[in-house]
Amino acid sequence: DQQVKQNSPSLSVQEGRISILNCDYTNSMFDYFLWYKKYPAEGPTFLISISSIKDKNEDGRFTVFLNKSAKHLSLHIVPSQPGDSAVYFCAATPRDGNQFYFGTGTSLTVIP
Amino acid sequence: SQTIHQWPATLVQPVGSPLSLECTVEGTSNPNLYWYRQAAGRGLQLLFYSVGIGQISSEVPQNLSASRPQDRQFILSSKKLLLSDSGFYLCAWSVFHLGAINSPLHFGNGTRLTVT
């Protein structure tokens, strides 16, 4: 059973515009949410995270939004750059838990 | 700083052969350790995690096993590989969770396993 879902397998955006990647989860016990970026044949790299006590966290061009009532989070990248082209995974972990559950990923292509 | 080493980078094994993938972490003590698999075109599936030496939790029953013989060493094994074991295997670590401390997962560079 997929507890973390990314329903868009791919997304194309023009350079300089905003990229919005979406993620939904089903487990109400999830307490901490993360976004990772992955290039082919490499391990995922941690990008940004958010705790359930917040609804927004910003780090440079990356902002993560959390809507707990909708069990939805999103990653905004502004402005998008060609180097942002990669697969993005969202992940979640429960309070006092040690498991990290990942979505299936969204492949972002930023067109120059 | 902390680093994670995972080897080999690529591996081609025949069906029925054994498997041993090794992962070590440097620069931290008592980490949580994880094995994930990414099958072709799919997401990251949690296989095993460990919160201490000799403590292994399995998320998905399958043809694989894991062991943690030392604090910063995590090994993924199989006695007989199946074709379905092909995939990209990732080792990861995080700070040991105590209470409400949140910390991210950090991944190695992965092992591409092809079972023929």
Side-chain angles (χ1 to χ4, degrees):
Chain A
D1 181 31
Q2 193 77 24
Q3 299 187 61
V4 179
K5 301 177 182 178
Q6 293 175 259
N7 293 318
S8 298
S10 62
L11 174 68
S12 290
V13 172
Q14 287 290 134
E15 180 179 4
R17 306 293 292 270
I18 183 172
S19 295
I20 300 176
L21 299 103
N22 294 302
C23 179
D24 299 293
Y25 61 96
T26 58
N27 190 339
S28 58
M29 298 302 292
F30 285 152
D31 184 64
Y32 181 51
F33 304 88
L34 312 93
W35 283 96
Y36 284 81
K37 177 180 180 180
K38 185 182 181 301
Y39 294 115
E42 294 183 9
T45 303
F46 170 68
L47 268 179
I48 190 169
S49 62
I50 188 167
S51 164
S52 61
I53 63 173
K54 294 184 176 181
D55 55 17
K56 175 183 175 181
N57 189 26
E58 193 171 352
D59 184 1
R61 296 187 297 115
F62 302 92
T63 303
V64 56
F65 295 92
L66 176 62
N67 183 333
K68 292 186 289 293
S69 60
K71 294 190 176 67
H72 177 84
L73 66 154
S74 61
L75 175 68
H76 293 208
I77 306 173
V78 182
S80 301
Q81 300 173 354
D84 296 329
S85 297
V87 177
Y88 289 79
F89 290 95
C90 65
T93 184
R95 176 181 292 274
D96 294 340
N98 295 293
Q99 307 96 316
F100 289 75
Y101 296 100
F102 283 77
T104 51
T106 296
S107 179
L108 173 66
T109 301
V110 180
I111 304 165
Chain B
S1 64
Q2 302 89 357
T3 56
I4 179 169
H5 303 280
Q6 187 180 344
W7 66 93
T10 59
L11 191 59
V12 180
Q13 293 283 102
V15 168
S17 64
L19 173 74
S20 181
L21 301 180
E22 189 165 342
C23 170
T24 59
V25 179
E26 295 177 358
T28 186
S29 297
N30 196 27
N32 285 357
L33 296 173
Y34 302 80
W35 280 110
Y36 281 83
R37 176 172 60 197
Q38 183 182 20
R42 304 186 68 178
L44 300 174
Q45 181 185 34
L46 177 60
L47 302 176
F48 301 95
Y49 69 94
S50 170
V51 300
I53 295 174
Q55 300 179 62
I56 308 295
S57 297
S58 173
E59 285 288 305
V60 181
Q62 56 202 320
N63 186 42
L64 302 169
S65 62
S67 62
R68 184 170 178 174
Q70 300 180 43
D71 181 43
R72 288 168 287 179
Q73 183 185 28
F74 206 24
I75 298 171
L76 183 70
S77 303
S78 174
K79 292 182 179 178
K80 289 186 178 181
L81 283 169
L82 307 172
L83 285 174
S84 57
D85 291 324
S86 293
F88 191 53
Y89 288 82
L90 290 154
C91 182
W93 74 273
S94 73
V95 172
F96 178 74
H97 284 262
L98 185 63
I101 298 174
N102 289 317
S103 67
L105 206 55
H106 304 280
F107 285 89
N109 283 328
T111 296
R112 171 72 58 193
L113 172 66
T114 304
V115 182
T116 60

